[in-house]
Amino acid sequence: MTTPANHVRDPRLEGTLLRDRPRLRRAGRARDSATDTRLEEAIAASRARVDSRRARLPRPTFPDTLPITAHLDDIANAMERHQVLVIAGATGSGKTTQLPKLCLAQGRGVHGQIGHTQPRRLAARSVAARVAEELDTPLGELVGYRVRFSERGHPDALVRLMTDGILLNELQRDRLLLRYDTLIIDEAHERSLNIDFLLGYLKRLLPRRPELKLIVTSATIDTARFSAHFGEAPVIEVGGRGWPVETRYRPLAGSGDESDRDQETAILAAVDELATEDPDGDILVFLPGERDIRDTAEALRKHHPPGLEILPLYARLGAAEQARIFHPGSARRVVLATNVAETSLTVPGIHHVIDTGRARISRYGHHGNVQRLPVEPVSRASADQRQGRCGRLAPGICIRLYSEEDFLARPGFTEPEILRTPLAAVILQMIAHGLGHIHRFPFLDPPDPRQVRDGYRQLAALGALDPDHRLTPLGRHLARFPLDPRLGRMLLAAADSDCLRELLVIVAALAVQD
């Protein structure tokens, strides 16, 4: 992988914005007096922006009710001594909202922004709004966000929430990520492709950016792996808020279509059971997908316990609809959610959880050679994350619609996405983003070499790579499509053959993951 040469520190550039320094350094190589004058003016302007950012630093306060507050001094001291820090916190510990505030309290965000990634768009927007609210500042001034199709933030915002993919795309324009003086990679335990790419790239980048601080947060899952990946970085454990949670197992009886009907009946029974024991507490129901949410919402409306408000929550839901969950009214609420509510995103007012124990998990189908989203049982770690969404306000109840034996037989963790995805698309995107070749990239879990070879063969057959594994002009076109490379190749061939309208319909059907 080709990366910029390490820069010699120039004392004239101390106190300037990080992202201005390459430009100022290039200007400093000139020798004439006119250039020197312009350089001094540019350095002064950059320092003035830094002074302005420093003057806008807020003085955050931290709620005593959050478990992370008791660890803030330890975290601050570790940040002073180490470049990388791993924070392990259970659901409800407050790590997502309080860490950017702690970074501000430590004077970070002055020479560059505090970048804070979330796996999902909804979480990025809601966390930005929550942090801005706690800092008593309008969203977009000190704290902004950027997700696909939506952005809100002043150019001089100190904190920027974004999805992992947004940060990854920035590498095409800013190889050293000089926009940031601090990065928080949140919910790293999810181990999506984007998260694994970022962790691998940052492992290479950190020696070249000694002033960059990195905080990796995770549920209390496999934190030793993250620590070892970054040279035995310190790990600070933060407990979750702890009201007791009673776990009840209510396994379904049917299978197939009968099981789907049983699921709705079981959810209705569980809502009735919880309503009888606690007439006021809100309920969060975890379901595999949008169709399940629609069907269950309709069943609940027909069943209609008195005074019940039914709210859907999934990633494709409109922002206005999503915002409704953060403003509870007087009515009892049942929130029907996919695994988007499993981490990061905190739905206020939840007392109890009903867990179907299933989710749509991205997986490569070897027979059809396509990426799918089959409904599968979630891991024990995911089930515990779901359970942790209750018991934060008062004693709670988690009703699992499967047996305890089923729970104990499940895998401990969800398999990293890099091990269950077709590698042709991964290889193509890695080369296009300048991340280097997959077999040399420092993944936490390297993919199977046989799958790597298959991926390269497929790209060569499509004409996307030359014999030296470099992108061809066609490969550059393919890399711009958010599609499997074979489907993208179909579209390019259709455009050349004047049958694009027909092929768009076929490719759209083939690209549907469900």
Side-chain angles (χ1 to χ4, degrees), residues 342-408:
E342 200 172 288
T343 56
S344 292
L345 184 69
T346 296
V347 181
I350 297 300
H351 284 235
H352 311 296
V353 165
I354 300 170
D355 180 18
T356 62
R358 302 191 299 162
R360 292 201 175 277
I361 297 175
S362 176
R363 196 167 293 281
Y364 183 51
H366 290 280
H367 296 298
N369 293 321
V370 293
Q371 191 77 0
R372 302 176 299 120
L373 272 179
V375 174
E376 297 182 0
V378 300
S379 66
R380 295 198 305 274
S382 289
D384 288 339
Q385 286 287 107
R386 294 177 174 194
Q387 183 191 55
R389 289 291 153 186
C390 64
R392 303 174 66 173
L393 304 172
I397 299 170
C398 175
I399 296 180
R400 289 173 168 165
L401 302 183
Y402 46 96
S403 68
E404 186 171 10
E405 292 75 20
D406 181 355
F407 170 74
L408 294 173

Side-chain angles (χ1 to χ4, degrees), residues 164 168 185 188-203 225-226 229 415-419 435 441-446:
D164 312 305
L168 198 60
I185 308 297
H189 63 270
E190 291 205 3
R191 298 295 306 281
S192 68
L193 276 175
N194 286 342
I195 288 174
D196 275 10
F197 280 148
L198 285 173
L199 294 179
Y201 187 82
L202 288 169
K203 179 182 174 69
R225 294 285 305 283
F226 298 123
H229 183 69
E415 189 178 29
E417 191 177 1
I418 187 67
L419 302 181
L435 297 178
F441 193 77
F443 283 112
L444 270 80
D445 290 280

Side-chain angles (χ1 to χ4, degrees), residues 28-73:
R29 297 193 184 108
R31 298 296 180 185
D32 60 278
S33 58
T35 302
D36 285 344
T37 300
R38 289 195 298 270
L39 176 61
E40 292 303 321
E41 291 172 351
I43 289 174
S46 185
R47 285 176 176 167
R49 289 190 68 185
V50 168
D51 291 340
S52 173
R53 294 174 68 86
R54 185 179 287 109
R56 296 167 62 229
L57 277 174
R59 295 183 178 179
T61 57
F62 302 92
D64 292 334
T65 54
L66 292 176
I68 195 171
T69 302
H71 299 268
L72 291 180
D73 288 342

Side-chain angles (χ1 to χ4, degrees), residues 55-350:
R56 296 167 62 229
L57 277 174
R59 295 183 178 179
T61 57
F62 302 92
D64 292 334
T65 54
L66 292 176
I68 195 171
T69 302
H71 299 268
L72 291 180
D73 288 342
D74 293 338
I75 295 172
N77 291 334
M79 285 178 62
E80 288 290 330
R81 299 193 307 270
H82 301 277
Q83 189 176 14
V84 184
L85 181 60
V86 179
I87 306 291
T91 298
S93 62
K95 61 186 185 300
T96 295
T97 54
Q98 303 310 303
L99 282 174
K101 291 165 57 182
L102 175 63
C103 291
L104 290 170
Q106 294 297 110
R108 310 297 298 179
V110 172
H111 293 93
Q113 287 185 318
I114 298 167
H116 188 173
T117 70
Q118 294 292 322
R120 297 176 180 86
R121 286 177 285 171
L122 173 56
R125 288 196 300 262
S126 63
V127 171
R130 179 63 181 175
V131 174
E133 179 185 344
E134 292 192 11
L135 292 173
D136 195 24
T137 180
L139 178 61
E141 287 193 7
L142 293 181
V143 182
Y145 69 82
R146 186 183 175 197
V147 298
R148 190 171 57 168
F149 308 132
S150 179
E151 182 173 10
R152 187 168 177 181
H154 190 276
D156 276 333
L158 305 183
V159 180
R160 189 190 206 203
L161 272 293
M162 67 198 119
T163 54
D164 312 305
I166 291 293
L167 182 59
L168 198 60
N169 283 331
E170 287 188 22
L171 293 176
Q172 298 182 66
R173 302 181 302 277
D174 182 6
R175 303 297 295 162
L176 294 177
L177 293 175
L178 290 172
R179 183 186 189 119
Y180 306 100
D181 71 5
T182 309
L183 286 172
I184 303 170
I185 308 297
D186 208 359
E187 309 295 353
H189 63 270
E190 291 205 3
R191 298 295 306 281
S192 68
L193 276 175
N194 286 342
I195 288 174
D196 275 10
F197 280 148
L198 285 173
L199 294 179
Y201 187 82
L202 288 169
K203 179 182 174 69
R204 289 176 167 177
L205 175 63
L206 287 170
R208 309 172 60 78
R209 288 281 317 274
E211 77 288 346
L212 177 67
K213 297 288 186 179
L214 173 64
I215 300 175
V216 179
T217 86
S218 170
T220 52
I221 297 171
D222 218 12
T223 51
R225 294 285 305 283
F226 298 123
S227 173
H229 183 69
F230 290 106
E232 305 303 327
V235 179
I236 295 180
E237 299 271 354
V238 179
R241 282 193 278 196
W243 291 91
V245 176
E246 178 188 351
T247 304
R248 300 176 183 176
Y249 292 92
R250 303 283 188 267
L252 305 180
S255 60
D257 292 336
E258 183 182 348
S259 177
D260 290 338
R261 289 192 297 272
D262 263 6
Q263 177 177 283
E264 290 178 18
T265 303
I267 290 172
L268 297 181
V271 169
D272 287 343
E273 179 180 341
L274 294 171
T276 300
E277 299 190 31
D278 179 6
D280 301 317
D282 292 350
I283 301 170
L284 176 60
V285 184
F286 282 100
L287 291 152
E290 293 177 37
R291 176 184 171 183
D292 305 87
I293 287 174
R294 288 195 296 269
D295 292 346
T296 303
E298 184 62 25
L300 280 168
R301 289 188 187 101
K302 292 177 180 177
H303 187 65
H304 199 263
L308 191 67
E309 183 181 9
I310 302 163
L311 296 174
L313 179 61
Y314 49 88
R316 293 198 317 129
L317 196 66
E321 288 293 307
Q322 290 174 347
R324 290 176 59 197
I325 69 164
F326 300 110
H327 304 286
S330 56
R332 179 193 183 94
R333 304 188 305 164
V334 175
V335 179
L336 307 175
T338 60
N339 57 0
V340 71
E342 200 172 288
T343 56
S344 292
L345 184 69
T346 296
V347 181
I350 297 300

